[in-house]
């Protein structure tokens, strides 16, 4: 039989017509889909280097599985109960979560302005652990018991706060000196020269030993999980390891880690690396900081670096070096009773703002790494280029006093006052001040109100580990409006891709981004804010802690197999966190 006899001419035409219809329908579908995925312009011309940001953003919690996964306190409790049964949790940080101070009306309770505290507090509350921290409040001693313990939060006690007392000399040398005049500027590369003094280093070592004593005293078992927080305690992991060899020590470095050339100027670089490698897991916010750390170890210590497995073998032990982007509580326990419009009315009334101005806000500790002066310079450029905005924009800068006895911080405060006065003089008029500077601490509720009242939030850090203000702004905007302007040098820029990303060192560029933010159509704001909220919701603080605890659990299991005579690669711990959770839920 010939093909012709099998397919008569009429059938040929029918098949041809059907294929044509199918192709046209497919083409129409593709066009509709492409239109629906209207591109969101994520990067501005001033974005220094968009590509690495995009890559990391895509890696951070954007798997399809996660759309269905809500990390919660319950999930964290479940991880602890099933993966790390009977394991006690000890958190160590310099800053305490609750400070008692003598005030005009007796003893007052304060929650410090600290990203570390806002991230760790819900975790410790959930896990009912022990939190060891410096008791720095003027009424801390009299509110602690004879074991230096106090149950917190005071209105609903959930965990023990163990306070460690420091002498004036220790506080000056360890906290103000080595931590904040040495390591802080060293790691932030904010062009403030680090100061390294042998006397500060002595204090730093002594205080690290003091906290090691406190950990050993508080540990009720030989194998606790100890969460060591931040650059105040680089030596602590090793000191704990020597005395509790079976502990799982998870150290989280909340600030950036510089490249090895910058790090090399620290006179005690080897001791710091050695101290940190006492950890089982060492976490940073972003991969770049992990890479910088690994490069520093490779350069200054005799060690074996397994780049593929993200592990360092040193002195017979292995430390995993992973990135865990820190975040905020979501869902928040506090329920909002007010609408955005009510919050806006209240804030405008409090600061005596005319109802028709646009409001931009900046909220941070008064710190030279935050780029406060730089955003004021950008504002100057903005008013210069867009003079029709004079009188129509107010920038409200909340700057919580911080480390105020250090010369660099005093100088910054004075420079801020001078620059604000100069700009207000240049563009202000009767009843109108373009910049309102409020150098005061604000509590969480007040800040949430401010975020809800604002048209634009500016985070222009010169360098920042993560920056939780950016995430708090997004979380506060349940109306899906408002624009986030975010520094490319804050770790948060790796996840919050729909923010307007800026280079804070480029005042003219940042001024133009202010214009873009202030004139952004509501539909675009919504499109961006909706996506940002998805990211913060799925990458919440329970995911941050849960990922580390799951890695710790895997590490402990691996050690058990090794004790039974098996062997496994160090990186066997690092399977995708979602996989672990799905297994847990099954
Ligand atoms: O970024 C490091 C950090 O410890 C943050 O977690 C916190 O917001 C800030 O520094 C607070 O610093 P301090 O405890 O010195 O006030």
């Amino acid at each position: 039989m010939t093909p012709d006899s099998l397919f008569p001419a009429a059938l040929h035409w029918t098949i041809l017509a059907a294929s044509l219809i199918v192709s046209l329908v497919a083409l129409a579908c593709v066009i509709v889909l492409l239109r629906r995925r209207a591109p969101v312009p994520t990067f501005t011309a001033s974005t220094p280097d968009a590509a690495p940001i995009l890559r990391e953003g895509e890696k951070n919690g954007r798997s399809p599985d996660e759309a269905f996964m809500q990390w919660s306190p319950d999930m964290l409790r479940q991880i602890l109960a099933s993966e790390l049964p009977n394991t006690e949790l000890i958190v160590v940080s310099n800053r305490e979560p609750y400070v008692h101070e003598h005030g005009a009306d007796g003893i007052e309770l304060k929650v410090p302005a600290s990203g570390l505290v806002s991230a760790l507090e819900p975790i410790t509350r959930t896990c009912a652990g022990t939190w060891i921290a410096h008791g720095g409040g003027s009424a801390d001693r009299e509110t602690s018991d004879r074991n230096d313990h106090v149950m917190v939060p005071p209105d609903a006690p959930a965990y023990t706060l163990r306070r460690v007392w420091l002498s004036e000399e220790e506080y000056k040398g360890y906290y103000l000196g080595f931590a904040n005049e040495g390591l802080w500027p060293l790691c932030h590369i904010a062009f403030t020269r680090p100061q390294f003094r042998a006397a500060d280093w002595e204090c730093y070592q002594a205080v690290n030993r003091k906290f090691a004593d406190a950990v050993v005293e508080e540990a009720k078992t030989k194998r606790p999980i100890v969460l060591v927080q931040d650059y105040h305690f680089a030596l602590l992991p090793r000191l704990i390891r020597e005395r509790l060899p079976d502990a799982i020590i998870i150290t989280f470095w909340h600030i950036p880690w510089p490249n090895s050339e910058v790090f090399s100027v620290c006179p005690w670089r080897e001791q710091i690396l050695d101290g940190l490698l006492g950890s089982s897991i060492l976490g940073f916010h972003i991969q770049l900081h992990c890479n910088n750390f690994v490069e520093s170890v490779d350069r200054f210590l005799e060690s074996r670096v397994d780049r593929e497995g993200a592990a360092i073998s040193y002195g017979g032990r292995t430390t995993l070096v992973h990135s865990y982007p820190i975040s905020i509580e979501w869902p928040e326990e506090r329920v909002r009773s007010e609408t955005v419009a009510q919050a806006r009315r209240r804030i405008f009334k409090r600061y005596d703002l005319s109802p028709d101005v646009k409001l931009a806000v900046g909220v941070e500790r008064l710190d030279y790494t935050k780029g406060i002066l730089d955003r004021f310079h950008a504002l100057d450029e903005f008013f210069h280029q867009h003079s029709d905005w004079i009188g129509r924009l107010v920038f409200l800068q909340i700057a919580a006093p911080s480390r105020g006895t250090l010369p660099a911080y005093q100088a910054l405060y004075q420079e801020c006052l001078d620059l604000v006065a100069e700009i207000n003089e240049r563009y202000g008029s009767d009843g109108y001040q373009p910049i309102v500077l409020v150098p005061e601490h604000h509590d969480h509720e007040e800040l949430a109100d401010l975020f809800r009242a604002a048209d634009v939030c500016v985070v222009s850090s010169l360098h920042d580990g993560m920056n939780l203000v950016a995430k708090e702004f997004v979380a506060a905007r349940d109306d899906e409006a408002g624009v986030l302007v975010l520094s490319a040098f804050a770790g948060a820029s790796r996840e919050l891709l729909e923010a307007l990303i800026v280079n804070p060192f480029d005042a003219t560029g940042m001024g133009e981004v202010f214009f873009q933010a202030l004139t952004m159509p509501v539909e675009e704001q919504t499109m961006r804010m909706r996506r940002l909220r998805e990211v913060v919701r799925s990458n919440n603080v329970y995911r941050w802690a849960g990922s580390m605890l799951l890695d710790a659990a895997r590490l402990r299991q691996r050690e058990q197999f090794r004790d039974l005579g098996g062997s496994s690669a160090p990186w066997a711990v690092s399977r995708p966190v979602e996989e672990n959770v799905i297994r847990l839920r099954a």
Side-chain angles (χ1 to χ4, degrees), residues 95 114-116 175 180 184 230-231 254-255 365 402-403:
R95 186 61 66 190
S114 161
L116 180 156
Y175 172 78
N180 284 321
W184 180 268
D230 231 347
Y231 61 101
H254 289 254
I255 62 176
R365 290 178 306 102
S402 179
R403 307 171 191 172

Side-chain angles (χ1 to χ4, degrees), residues 3 20 50 116 118 121 133 135 224 227 253-254 261 270 276 292 337 342 347 367 402 408 419 443 455 464 469 488 536:
L20 198 66
L116 180 156
S118 43
E121 212 280 332
L227 301 181
W253 194 262
H254 289 254
E261 188 58 22
E270 284 86 2
L276 286 169
N292 285 346
S337 51
Q342 286 167 323
I347 293 292
D367 193 297
S402 179
L419 188 56
D443 69 23
D455 296 287
D464 218 332
V469 166
V536 180

Side-chain angles (χ1 to χ4, degrees), residues 367-403:
D367 193 297
Y368 54 81
T369 62
K370 301 295 180 185
I372 299 174
L373 290 169
D374 304 81
R375 77 188 59 153
F376 293 162
H377 284 301
L379 210 56
D380 193 4
E381 288 283 333
F382 167 77
F383 283 128
H384 183 66
Q385 294 298 333
H386 303 277
S387 51
D388 54 322
W389 275 91
I390 298 172
R392 293 167 56 208
L393 168 68
V394 170
F395 197 103
L396 178 57
Q397 176 64 55
I398 305 295
S402 179
R403 307 171 191 172

Side-chain angles (χ1 to χ4, degrees), residues 358 360 382 389 455-458 482-485 500 510-521 525:
K358 291 250 184 186
F382 167 77
W389 275 91
D455 296 287
V456 177
C457 174
V458 178
V483 183
L484 175 63
V485 173
L500 296 181
M510 189 153 50
E512 280 314 300
V513 173
F514 288 173
F515 179 71
Q516 190 189 343
L518 289 163
T519 55
M520 186 183 286
Q525 290 183 29

Side-chain angles (χ1 to χ4, degrees), residues 189-263:
I189 324 178
F191 308 103
T192 297
R193 189 191 154 116
Q195 305 286 335
F196 294 113
R197 304 178 197 96
D200 292 346
W201 172 241
E202 289 296 324
C203 283
Y204 187 82
Q205 293 176 89
V207 172
N208 273 245
R209 283 196 291 270
K210 200 173 216 182
F211 274 81
D213 290 344
V215 171
V216 174
E217 277 161 33
E218 293 300 325
K220 296 172 195 74
T221 60
K222 289 194 165 140
R223 312 177 79 204
I225 291 196
V226 188
L227 301 181
V228 176
Q229 304 301 310
D230 231 347
Y231 61 101
H232 310 92
F233 297 118
L235 308 177
L236 188 55
R238 169 76 51 219
L239 296 168
I240 299 173
R241 172 72 60 224
E242 282 164 2
R243 294 167 67 187
L244 293 170
D246 295 326
I248 286 203
I249 304 169
I250 304 177
T251 303
F252 196 81
W253 194 262
H254 289 254
I255 62 176
W257 190 277
N259 66 49
S260 67
E261 188 58 22
V262 171
F263 181 67

